[in-house]
């Protein structure tokens, strides 16, 4: 690594830490219905939304009604997304006359975008029309992100509010997040990206006679508008197959910086919003610190692995699956960020990362997508671990565990365990299934332990609603499209429902003022404990599988053995 | 039932807002301020489009600088990398053959350090850049193939220097050179 590499890293983290309170404070104002700077410009749009859809914005609901609204809304999006893909050949804005999508791929993609995963079993430029990309995928990029944040808001209100059974109104939260947060940020980012060279048009693909006389067909499309929201909403589904490695998606180092920052920006800022809404900024910064420590630890290991010398390739920098304009550092920083946040866009091919870097990417996902995590989902995932940590700490000191002044009891712990277990079961059970079935093994692109890692990564990615891949694995088959789709559903709603139940149960509890005996959740002792709990749960669950995949591969690589 | 009605209406509203209005507004603004970039940074030469500044092309002729290896041979439908793992013997063989080909093609001795991007395929398969070192290693071969005299050869070196892009804002990304633009520039050397 050079000094310039260090400067890039420091610059990135300074921007991230500096923007966290700015955006976090703005979102706090928006979500709690206070006056904010976008109100004069977009207030009419919010009112119009309520009028058109018949929402009463002041009506507050309990956790069951809130969750039911979210489920119905998700189902609506899924059905629309599923149907439109099937009939895309009869719809407008399809200049390349792409055929309708197969039922199983359409199912997979619809689930994928509805659950904020953005797993892609298809190549955008050869599969989907501009119409589908815009009205199906981009829309889900917005609303699935908003739904994730909405769940988080309900959880915060349940944890921190006065004793009540009301958690807010799903439709109001959904509308405010979309209109005041995601839409303005996306417009700004999209236009800057076009300025760097990202395409934004509705033209035919351009057929050119290249300088050496070969035919080359250059794809086009409304890419910038989609890329902006795919990064900000931690969606990650690329407009083109190569995702953010494609020069039309990510043409310059500056576009790379902005896109990388957008991955972590909202999840990071939400920790600040969380602190403000919980009435103690320290609580927010505590969570931010835990996330940052885990992110940096992963980054350091990953960088170390990419720069180490191995007997197979000697001193060559490992540029396989990486772009010249980004180099090693930006590729590694992106791979760590995109897996820590449940974004899943890539600017380098994770399949070709060194075994340990690939393992860090997997660990980030396997921990439950809580190291910043998806917008909203990262933080409500973290709340689950906080509950477990407070519970364990309570057992150690022999007091009833409390968080933010409310007692944690058996019901909450039980729900937290369900939310942790379900995604992990998806990872381990489905991976095992794929490894012993003909249909599962047929998709492999690599042999030996790396082949196993491809399958393990795929199910981790869907269970964590991440969406990145060891992309060599061919998953556009009935087996993979269906099992991965099911994994995404469990990974999304298997966490949301228990976490909303926790919010509902916590909401009704009495607030006890802190005393000298209260176990504090905003100091360095708690930071240490929380990190330990996260790593122990993740470690115990996944160490055996990781040892068989990237662990063995790392040792074989260092022994110079190839397959 | 009431929830379902609200859901349908609000979903339809957001589909129009974020699925039609938003991309159209962005397209409008983009086409107004950055028309060339929004349309793919296409390069015109002699009245026809010969490629895009951002999409790499394959060059096999000895009179041109070669691009990086590509898993899709620079054919963009679809883009992508090799997705070979480091312990895959195909990757080892591929890298070794790229190294040998580069050495032989450019008449370099076998101990030359070749920049890694020239022996490994890119992520997109369309990487338009190589490092300046990779361009300099090809210099003599091109000068010989084009029967350049020493003055023209100096111009060739100058071309590489002029087209080398430093890290953006001095610190972002890597030094790089666009192969297609470079080859267009050397075609103009008289």
């Amino acid at each position: 690594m050079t000094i310039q590499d260090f400067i890039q890293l420091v610059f990135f983290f300074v921007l991230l830490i500096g923007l966290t309170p700015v955006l976090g404070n703005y979102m706090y104002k928006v979500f709690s219905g206070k006056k904010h700077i976008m109100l004069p410009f977009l207030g009419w749009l919010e009112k119009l939304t309520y009028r058109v859809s018949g929402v009463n914005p002041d009506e507050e609901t309990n956790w069951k009604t809130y969750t039911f609204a979210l489920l119905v809304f998700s189902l609506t999006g899924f059905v629309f997304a599923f149907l439109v893909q099937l009939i895309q050949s009869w719809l407008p804005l399809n200049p390349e006359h792409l055929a309708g999508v197969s039922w199983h791929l359409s199912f997979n993609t619809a689930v994928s975008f509805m659950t904020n995963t953005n797993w892609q079993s298809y190549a955008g430029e050869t599969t989907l029309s501009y119409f589908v990309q815009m009205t199906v995928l981009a829309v889900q990029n917005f609303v699935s992100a908003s739904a994730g944040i909405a769940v988080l808001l309900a959880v915060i209100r349940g944890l921190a509010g006065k004793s009540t059974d009301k958690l807010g109104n799903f439709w109001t939260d959904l509308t405010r997040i979309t209109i005041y947060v995601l839409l303005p940020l996306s417009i700004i980012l999209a236009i800057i990206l076009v300025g760097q060279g990202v395409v934004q048009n509705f033209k035919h693909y351009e057929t050119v006679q290249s300088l050496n006389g070969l035919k080359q067909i250059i794809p086009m499309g409304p890419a910038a508008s989609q890329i902006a929201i795919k990064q900000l909403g931690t969606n990650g589904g690329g407009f083109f197959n190569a995702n953010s490695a494609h020069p039309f998606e990510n043409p310059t180092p500056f576009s790379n910086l902005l896109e990388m920052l957008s991955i972590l920006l909202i999840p990071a800022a939400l920790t600040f919003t969380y602190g403000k809404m919980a009435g103690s900024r320290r609580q927010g910064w505590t969570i931010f610190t835990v996330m940052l420590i885990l992110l940096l630890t992963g980054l350091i290991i990953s960088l170390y692995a990419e720069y180490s010398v191995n007997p197979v390739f000697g001193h060559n920098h490992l540029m396989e699956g990486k772009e010249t304009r980004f180099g090693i550092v930006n590729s590694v920083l992106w791979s760590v960020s995109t897996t820590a946040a449940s974004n899943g866009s890539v600017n380098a091919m994770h399949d070709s990362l060194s075994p340990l870097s690939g393992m860090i990417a997997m660990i980030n996902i396997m921990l439950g997508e809580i190291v910043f995590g998806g917008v909203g989902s990262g933080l409500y995932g973290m709340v689950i671990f906080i509950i477990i940590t407070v519970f364990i700490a309570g057992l150690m000191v022999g007091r009833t565990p409390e968080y933010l002044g409310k007692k944690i009891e058996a019901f909450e712990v039980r729900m937290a365990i369900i939310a942790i277990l379900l995604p992990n079961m998806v990872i381990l059970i489905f991976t095992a299934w794929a490894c012993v079935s003909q249909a599962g093994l047929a998709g492999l692109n690599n042999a030996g332990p790396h082949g196993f890692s491809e399958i393990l990564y795929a199910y981790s990615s869907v269970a964590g609603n991440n969406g990145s891949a060891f992309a060599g694995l061919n998953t556009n088959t009935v087996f993979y499209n269906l099992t991965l789709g099911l994994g995404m559903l469990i990974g999304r709603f298997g966490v949301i429902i228990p976490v909303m139940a926790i919010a509902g149960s916590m909401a009704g509890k009495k607030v006890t003022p802190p005393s000298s005996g209260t176990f504090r959740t905003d100091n360095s002792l708690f930071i240490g404990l929380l990190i330990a709990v996260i790593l122990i749960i993740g470690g115990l669950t996944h160490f055996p599988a990781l040892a068989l995949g990237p662990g063995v591969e790392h040792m074989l690589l260092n022994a110079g053995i190839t397959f | 039932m009431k929830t379902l009605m609200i859901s349908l209406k609000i979903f339809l509203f957001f589909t129009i807002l974020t699925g039609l209005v938003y991309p159209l507004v962005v397209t409008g603004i983009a086409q107004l301020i950055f028309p060339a970039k929004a349309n793919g940074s296409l390069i015109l030469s002699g009245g026809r489009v010969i490629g895009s500044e951002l999409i790499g092309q394959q060059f096999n002729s000895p009179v041109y600088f070669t691009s990086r290896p590509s898993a899709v041979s620079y054919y963009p439908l679809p883009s992508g990398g090799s997705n070979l793992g480091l312990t895959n013997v195909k990757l080892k063989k591929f890298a070794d053959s790229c190294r040998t080909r580069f050495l032989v093609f450019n008449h370099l001795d076998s101990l030359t350090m070749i920049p890694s991007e020239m022996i490994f395929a890119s992520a997109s398969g369309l990487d338009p850049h190589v490092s300046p070192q990779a361009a300099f290693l090809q210099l003599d071969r091109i000068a010989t193939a084009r029967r350049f005299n020493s003055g023209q050869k100096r111009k060739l070196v100058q071309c590489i220097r002029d087209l080398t892009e430093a890290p953006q804002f001095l610190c972002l990304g890597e030094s790089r050179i666009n192969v297609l633009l470079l080859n267009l520039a050397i075609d103009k050397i008289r």
Side-chain angles (χ1 to χ4, degrees), chain A residues 226-240:
Chain A
Q226 189 141 334
I227 290 158
I229 183 60
K230 100 168 186 209
Q231 302 297 58
L232 286 163
T234 59
N235 303 281
F239 194 87
F240 303 110

Side-chain angles (χ1 to χ4, degrees), chain B residues 2 19 36 62 73 77 81 85 99 101 126 128 151 164 169 176 184 186:
Chain B
K2 187 178 156 233
S73 309
L77 296 181
R99 171 192 297 281
R101 199 174 331 123
L126 306 172
T164 299
F169 311 133
R176 61 209 185 276
L184 283 170
I186 62 171

Side-chain angles (χ1 to χ4, degrees), chain A residues 4 8 76 125 195 200-201 210 212 216-217 225 241 247 254 312 317 320-324 352 445-446 553 563, chain B residues 7 22 27 37-38 54 56 58 68 74 79 82-85 87-89 92 116 121 124 127 168 171 173:
Chain A
Q4 186 227 334
Q8 293 191 70
T76 312
E125 60 267 57
Q200 178 74 23
N201 59 51
S210 69
N212 60 347
Q216 197 183 35
I217 298 177
S225 54
N241 191 41
F254 181 53
V312 179
H317 281 159
E320 180 67 30
K322 299 192 181 75
E323 299 282 298
T324 311
S352 302
N445 182 48
N446 287 281
E553 196 195 358
F563 291 87
Chain B
S7 176
Y22 160 69
T27 310
K37 285 179 168 161
L54 294 173
Q58 196 162 20
R68 291 184 64 177
Y74 288 93
S79 51
S82 72
N83 285 310
L84 297 174
T87 51
N88 195 324
V89 69
K92 173 71 178 154
S116 328
S124 62
D127 194 343
Q168 212 170 359
C171 71

Side-chain angles (χ1 to χ4, degrees), chain B residues 19 28 34 47 59 61 90 101 105 114 130 138 148 159 173 175 189:
Chain B
F34 306 112
F59 296 99
S61 158
K90 283 186 210 153
R101 199 174 331 123
F105 195 55
I114 303 174
V130 297
Q138 304 180 46
F148 275 178
C159 267
S175 289
I189 296 176

Side-chain angles (χ1 to χ4, degrees), chain A residues 34-53:
Chain A
K34 295 189 179 357
K35 276 216 170 91
H36 56 84
I37 60 167
M38 292 312 282
L39 207 53
F41 305 105
L42 292 170
W44 61 273
L45 197 55
E46 186 192 350
K47 289 201 193 82
L48 181 67
T49 315
Y50 299 146
R51 185 138 22 98
V52 169
S53 52

Side-chain angles (χ1 to χ4, degrees), chain A residues 340-409:
Chain A
S342 84
N343 186 289
S345 62
V346 294
N347 76 347
M349 292 302 135
H350 287 191
D351 223 346
S352 302
L353 288 174
S354 61
L356 289 186
S357 303
M359 182 174 79
I360 290 297
M362 269 191 260
I363 291 176
N364 278 337
I365 300 172
M366 287 168 166
L367 292 179
E369 287 299 1
I370 48 159
V371 185
F372 295 104
V375 288
S377 62
L379 201 43
Y380 66 67
M382 186 57 105
V383 166
I384 291 166
F385 279 94
I386 290 175
I387 287 175
I388 301 289
T389 307
V390 171
F391 170 65
I392 291 173
L395 289 182
M396 288 197 282
V397 296
R399 282 194 87 223
T400 316
E402 287 172 13
Y403 184 55
L404 303 178
K406 289 186 177 178
K407 285 195 166 50
I408 308 276
E409 287 163 302

Side-chain angles (χ1 to χ4, degrees), chain B residues 141-160:
Chain B
R141 180 253 302 170
I142 289 165
T144 313
R146 290 187 175 240
R147 301 208 181 85
F148 275 178
N149 60 33
S150 57
Q152 288 168 313
K153 201 171 165 185
R154 263 198 305 281
K155 282 188 196 162
L156 188 58
V157 174
Q158 198 53 46
C159 267
I160 299 181

